[in-house]
Amino acid sequence: MNVGWTQVALACLWGGLVAVERKAFLQAMLSRPLVAATFMGALLGDVGGGLSVGMLLELFYLGTANLGASLPENDTVAATGTAAAAATLTAATGAGSTPAIWSLAVLLFIGLGRVGRRLDRLLEGYSARLARVALASAEAGNLTRAMRQNLWGMWPHFACYGAITGACALAGYFLEPVMVALPHPLVRGLAWAYPAMASVAAAIAAQSSHAKRAPLYAGLAAAAVTAAVVLVRLQEQRP
């Protein structure tokens, strides 16, 4: 097994950057699952895998919002970690990006959303303390110190989420023997699990719209996604 340390480093860098963008810098929607995962796939040489993972997770997390004291799951780390693992697993197997790999990565790493939520709670306390100190420095006229303290408040997010994403990329290489050893029927099952998960995610996204006919829209969205993915898969299997 050859580990691509450059890919692991790139995963760390992008995971840290979008974590900072999500909380404190720019907030230009780069941290949304679809964008973050697609860029991760592009950096690691698997644009298709990143796009497929990002689309599914974007639909799944669509509609979540930070309302009042409610802190949502961290969809960014779930997207970057899953896309990184899928890309490195694809590189390790050398068989190309497949729905079976996407499904396995999603099933193994979607729980990072909850891990990220707990980590966000821990880091919020630290950031709030630094923000109070920075405000006091600014009121005292020491703007340079205030800017420096604000920057220090961003580094924990960059370091923690960068490390988590890099660990996911590294885990993808170690999953290669597991993927190769899976029996063929199970691999086919994982491949067909992807459109199933996509249809459920589409239904969740439609349901979260709170429209009067949300159940109808959810059913139509699920059916449309399932039909589209099935048609693509059938076309790929033609000689």
Side-chain angles (χ1 to χ4, degrees):
M1 177 185 60
N2 295 320
V3 175
W5 293 107
T6 301
Q7 281 71 22
V8 174
L10 287 172
C12 287
L13 180 61
W14 180 246
L17 285 175
V18 291
V20 172
E21 194 274 341
R22 183 176 192 264
K23 281 292 183 182
F25 182 70
L26 287 181
Q27 295 186 335
M29 306 300 286
L30 295 177
S31 58
R32 289 301 306 172
L34 179 59
V35 181
T38 302
F39 269 84
M40 180 65 78
L43 286 172
L44 303 186
D46 184 19
V47 179
L51 178 62
S52 299
V53 168
M55 179 192 70
L56 191 152
L57 294 181
E58 181 70 39
L59 289 171
F60 179 76
Y61 284 110
L62 197 62
T64 60
N66 194 344
L67 302 175
S70 176
L71 190 64
E73 293 186 13
N74 192 315
D75 51 6
T76 303
V77 71
T80 53
T82 304
T88 53
L89 178 55
T90 297
T93 57
S97 189
T98 64
I101 290 178
W102 310 336
S103 295
L104 183 62
V106 169
L107 292 172
L108 290 178
F109 296 101
I110 195 173
L112 287 174
R114 294 188 177 184
V115 174
R117 179 169 59 186
R118 292 185 180 183
L119 187 55
D120 282 342
R121 287 199 180 104
L122 293 175
L123 293 177
E124 274 191 351
Y126 172 79
S127 298
R129 288 193 299 271
L130 275 184
R132 288 193 295 268
V133 174
L135 180 60
S137 298
E139 290 175 345
N142 195 340
L143 297 180
T144 302
R145 185 184 179 191
M147 290 178 61
R148 186 167 58 248
Q149 288 163 338
N150 276 324
L151 288 174
W152 274 112
M154 299 180 189
W155 278 109
H157 288 85
F158 179 88
C160 292
Y161 288 110
I164 290 173
T165 309
C168 293
L170 187 60
Y173 288 107
F174 286 95
L175 285 171
E176 185 264 340
V178 177
M179 190 70 190
V180 172
L182 291 178
H184 185 66
L186 183 54
V187 174
R188 285 184 60 85
L190 285 171
W192 284 104
Y194 178 79
M197 289 189 291
S199 65
V200 171
I204 292 173
Q207 183 69 35
S208 68
S209 68
H210 303 296
K212 291 182 179 180
R213 297 183 179 180
L216 174 61
Y217 298 151
L220 291 175
V225 172
T226 302
V229 176
V230 169
L231 286 174
V232 170
R233 292 291 294 160
L234 291 175
Q235 289 179 354
E236 290 177 350
Q237 291 176 1
R238 288 181 179 177

